[in-house]
Amino acid sequence: MRLKAPIIVACLAGLLLAGGSAGAADYKSEYTVSTVLPTPFPWGEAAERWVKLVEERSDGRINLKVYPGAQLVSGNQTKEFAALRSGLIDFAVGSTINWSPQVSELNVFSLPFLMPDYAAIDALTQGEVGERIFEAIERQGVVPLAWGENGFRELTNSVRPVTHPDDLEGMKIRVVGSPLFQDTFEALGANPTQMSWADAKPALATGAVDGQENPLSVIQIAKMWEVGQEYLTRWHYMADPLIFAASRGTWESLPEKDRRIIREAAIDAGQWEIERSRASVEERLAALREQGIEVTELTDAQREAFRKATASVYETWAPRIGEDLVETAKEAVANRDAE
Ligand code: X2X
């Protein structure tokens, strides 16, 4: 009996080796991760953190690489979701805005003045709305893994302080290539132009557009004051969560234990990024003021005027998003835990 033990061990080792090498052969030498923003934007940092955690936890088996600037889709950020669905890219950390042309439910986050604070964002992403949105993404052939956050989007411009919709009359505003944004800014009397992020700064620099909207982190790190953006209105009109996701083909090619590693790393990287983004807001605001940007905080009454002016966006978009999902979102916000 004793003599047989080494033989069994040898056989087992042989099996493991054979299994191991067959498994290893299935891994790609590199898996692509698409983002729009690179480091040091929180968005890029979230993606890099994910890469690092996956590498560590898989003992180097799974090698993800971040391709920022939506370069895998030639800078066309609203094509990112389609590329993920077709398997042209393996993974992405994408904004709900950029994926909303394909996944109409994602427009819920873009409804103006739906989410007044962070607790409201969490009430949506961490509740029934978040689950239903992940199901919608899954139905479209992409595997959603975790949430991150780009942030509350504020308005900057080169013309004047904006405290009332009238101040936006005729102002040329760069918006992301998502039709809902066109409607919001038209409702406010502005003159919106859709363009990719890559074109935004040059368009501001030449004066082709007067203003834009993005989170404070983006306004600061992209140095918007360099392109004449002197006025900032903190109107908190919407926030875009980020979604970590995988192409279905790539996902299904991976063993269960690796899927778990990748999903958990996405959740951890997302939480880490959300906390850091939220914690950095005051510091960023101070840095922007230091650069000479005039910051306008709205009173509740002033914000109400913007909310009223954009009410038509709900009428147009609730049927496209799903009336029921919009109602569920409104209820979740109304019943959220106090901050
Ligand atoms: O294009 C933008 O404004 C950006 C970088 O915020 C997004 O990709 C949504």
Side-chain angles (χ1 to χ4, degrees):
M1 287 300 278
R2 241 184 256 152
L3 279 177
K4 280 184 188 157
I7 298 169
I8 293 168
V9 168
C11 287
L12 274 176
L15 276 174
L16 279 174
L17 273 178
S21 60
D26 291 332
Y27 294 109
K28 291 191 193 176
S29 60
E30 175 192 295
Y31 292 91
T32 54
V33 182
S34 177
T35 68
V36 176
L37 298 177
T39 52
F41 294 93
W43 185 340
E45 292 194 331
E48 294 294 354
R49 176 98 177 168
W50 189 22
V51 169
K52 191 165 151 268
L53 292 178
V54 169
E55 192 202 347
E56 281 169 12
R57 295 176 187 178
S58 72
D59 298 321
R61 259 193 326 277
I62 307 162
N63 174 30
L64 309 185
K65 183 161 183 233
V66 180
Y67 288 85
Q71 60 186 281
L72 299 171
V73 282
S74 309
N76 200 340
Q77 63 208 54
T78 51
K79 294 269 155 59
E80 190 180 58
F81 187 85
L84 196 53
R85 183 166 50 199
S86 72
L88 196 72
I89 53 185
D90 296 307
F91 296 99
V93 183
S95 161
T96 52
I97 303 174
N98 294 330
W99 295 0
S100 64
Q102 286 85 32
V103 188
S104 54
E105 288 86 346
L106 289 176
N107 284 294
V108 75
F109 294 106
S110 303
L111 287 171
F113 305 101
L114 173 66
M115 303 178 293
D117 48 32
Y118 291 128
I121 304 180
D122 295 341
L124 299 194
T125 58
Q126 305 308 308
E128 186 189 333
V129 169
E131 274 169 32
R132 285 169 62 178
I133 281 177
F134 270 20
E135 282 161 17
I137 290 175
E138 193 100 46
R139 274 198 301 277
Q140 297 258 6
V142 166
V143 184
L145 303 172
W147 296 94
E149 191 162 289
N150 197 13
F152 273 110
R153 299 176 74 92
E154 317 294 8
L155 182 71
T156 67
N157 81 89
S158 59
V159 186
R160 65 177 79 90
V162 172
T163 59
H164 187 274
D166 288 351
D167 298 323
L168 278 169
E169 188 61 43
M171 209 185 268
K172 286 175 281 172
I173 305 288
R174 174 269 169 174
V175 292
V176 195
S178 156
L180 187 148
F181 285 75
Q182 190 80 22
D183 291 352
T184 298
F185 283 85
E186 276 173 8
L188 290 168
N191 182 2
T193 310
Q194 297 184 25
M195 66 183 79
S196 70
W197 170 248
D199 294 332
K201 226 181 149 187
L204 290 163
T206 59
V209 292
D210 307 309
Q212 64 89 43
E213 48 75 59
N214 250 302
L216 289 180
S217 59
V218 179
I219 295 167
Q220 186 203 2
I221 298 167
K223 300 193 168 116
M224 284 295 176
W225 58 87
E226 286 182 355
V227 286
Q229 299 296 284
E230 284 176 51
Y231 306 101
L232 186 151
T233 299
R234 255 185 117 198
W235 62 347
H236 265 55
Y237 84 126
M238 54 93 41
D240 52 332
L242 300 175
I243 297 175
F244 294 67
S247 122
R248 181 170 289 165
T250 300
W251 193 246
E252 286 176 355
S253 75
L254 292 164
E256 181 53 36
K257 76 166 189 240
D258 290 331
R259 291 187 202 171
R260 196 171 316 125
I261 286 171
I262 294 170
R263 188 190 294 277
E264 280 169 9
I267 292 169
D268 292 347
Q271 265 167 9
W272 172 84
E273 184 260 343
I274 290 170
E275 279 162 27
R276 270 169 53 111
S277 293
R278 293 181 185 182
S280 69
V281 163
E282 291 308 320
E283 200 181 304
R284 294 193 189 284
L285 210 51
L288 290 170
R289 285 201 170 101
E290 221 160 88
Q291 293 298 335
I293 292 190
E294 187 179 321
V295 178
T296 302
E297 303 277 356
L298 296 183
T299 63
D300 288 347
Q302 285 171 326
R303 189 172 291 105
E304 186 57 19
F306 285 98
R307 200 191 58 74
K308 273 204 182 126
T310 50
S312 60
V313 177
Y314 283 71
E315 280 156 39
T316 312
W317 283 87
R320 299 184 194 171
I321 295 166
E323 305 270 7
D324 187 52
L325 187 63
V326 173
E327 277 317 305
T328 308
K330 283 185 183 164
E331 279 162 29
V333 170
N335 298 329
R336 72 193 183 280
D337 297 333
E339 288 213 310

